[in-house]
Every structure is written in C-alpha cells, then in structure tokens.
Amino acid sequence: MELVLASKNPKKLVELNAILSQLGIRVCSEADVGVDIDVEETGTTFEENSLLKADAVMKASGLPAIADDSGLCVDALQGAPGVYSARYGGEGLDDPGRTRLLLENMRGADTRGAKFVSVITCCFPNGDVISARGECHGTISFAPMGEGGFGYDPVFFIPELKKTFAQLSPEEKNAISHRGRALQAFKEKLEEYLKTK
C-alpha cells in the first residue's frame, strides 16, 4: 500500500517511512505523485489542521494521504505556540529564529513545562478517515543543545534522559517522541482497518 505524505518536510517523510514500512506501507512525497499544493491551516486544533491537509492531498492525488499536524505547547505561554508552532513570530523567521523568540518570551518564567503534540490523520478516497494523537512531555531548556532533529528540538528537554530531542539518536527520538507515539497508535489503527478491507 502507498500513502502520500501531505507535507514537503523530507525529515517527516523519513520518520513516517521508518515506522510504517513495518506494515509494508510506503509513504511517498507529494512530488512523487505530481501534487504541489499548499493547504491553508485554518483549524484551531491539531486534529482540524491534520484533517485539512490529508483531505486536500487525497483529493488532489486520488490516493490515500497522510498528514501530521504537530506543535509545541508551553505551559508558561498558555499553550502557545501550539497550532502556530511553524508560523510562530511570523513568516520571516526560520527554526533558530523561532527558538530564540520562544526563549525570549519565556525569560523569567517560573515554570518550564511543555509538551509536544502530534496528530496523524489518513484520508482514503472512499471517505474513510483514521486519526491518532501522541504527546511527549518535557521542559524547555535555557539554551539550545544538540545538532539533530528540527524545529524546537534543541530546546525540548527530556528530564528522564537528561537530553534535548536534538541530542537523541533518531531511534531514541522515535521511541518516545509525540510523532513516534502518534505513529504507533496510528499503525495499530491502520492494521485493524486493513483487516476489514
């Protein structure tokens, strides 16, 4: 079975294939199937945005499409940046710029608790939808650490491991990350779904 990833992020493509290949599923990029659309993320929840993206790419490609909407929810910022994680601070900022802004906005904060959330949705041409959510709890470090990962990974610290996401190997990160957990839950739901087909 082949799914189209409703994202242009090559690192997400690698992560999804690493987990779903165990089911004999290949995840391909939009470019692989000749689709190039930018879906406006108008939802107010990760669930809504994930569904918007998967549905649009499924309709454009005619193939089952999988989308992930994820973000960082910081306690001291009342859950921000949340669904706006990728657009935090406006269009002009890159990942390091957004991370710097986050740390600036947390200066003097009493609490540093945070969670990464990921919702994965797959839309099928027959109208079926499978969705799964994963969360990973941690804290925000005072400065970026590590070279791996992307986005806010260098400041998302896991106290039990004494490392940020950016300091973990891909295998370590997949085992505990919000996306890894959402993918595991999604994989189980997909296995059940495929048995009915």
Side-chain angles (χ1 to χ4, degrees):
M1 181 185 215
E2 191 168 72
L3 303 177
V4 184
L5 175 61
S7 168
K8 293 173 180 61
N9 185 326
K11 292 185 178 180
K12 278 189 186 177
L13 188 65
V14 170
E15 278 186 22
L16 285 168
N17 270 310
I19 290 175
L20 294 179
S21 62
Q22 301 159 17
L23 289 179
I25 290 169
R26 179 177 168 265
V27 183
C28 63
S29 69
E30 292 178 24
D32 290 338
V33 295
V35 170
D36 182 14
I37 56 171
D38 284 311
V39 180
E40 202 175 334
E41 295 181 29
T42 54
T44 57
T45 65
F46 296 113
E47 282 80 3
E48 287 172 6
N49 284 333
S50 180
L51 179 61
L52 282 170
K53 291 186 277 192
D55 187 57
V57 171
M58 179 272 293
K59 286 174 177 162
S61 67
L63 297 165
I66 186 170
D68 152 84
D69 196 57
S70 51
L72 180 65
C73 302
V74 179
D75 296 347
L77 303 177
Q78 289 73 50
V83 293
Y84 305 105
S85 293
R87 306 182 293 281
Y88 191 51
E91 292 300 316
L93 286 183
D94 57 4
D95 284 352
R98 280 187 284 277
T99 299
R100 277 193 301 276
L101 177 64
L102 179 77
L103 292 176
E104 281 168 29
N105 289 342
M106 288 191 67
R107 196 173 292 140
D110 296 335
T111 176
R112 299 197 74 82
K115 66 180 177 182
F116 261 127
V117 176
S118 170
V119 174
I120 292 171
T121 303
C122 186
C123 291
F124 295 87
N126 67 0
D128 290 345
V129 176
I130 298 174
S131 185
R133 180 183 177 106
E135 295 186 359
C136 182
H137 293 260
T139 62
I140 301 300
S141 63
F142 288 90
M145 296 180 285
E147 302 299 316
F150 56 94
Y152 301 98
D153 287 0
V155 295
F156 188 73
F157 186 76
I158 306 296
E160 303 81 45
L161 300 177
K162 297 183 174 45
K163 290 180 178 179
T164 67
F165 263 12
Q167 293 172 304
L168 300 176
S169 71
E171 294 74 26
E172 287 174 311
K173 184 182 168 188
N174 284 345
I176 63 155
S177 78
H178 52 305
R179 191 169 299 111
R181 289 174 175 166
L183 269 171
Q184 278 307 128
F186 174 79
K187 186 180 138 195
E188 287 162 22
K189 288 185 176 185
L190 185 59
E191 273 181 300
E192 287 305 310
Y193 173 79
L194 292 175
K195 284 178 191 166
T196 67
K197 296 294 150 196

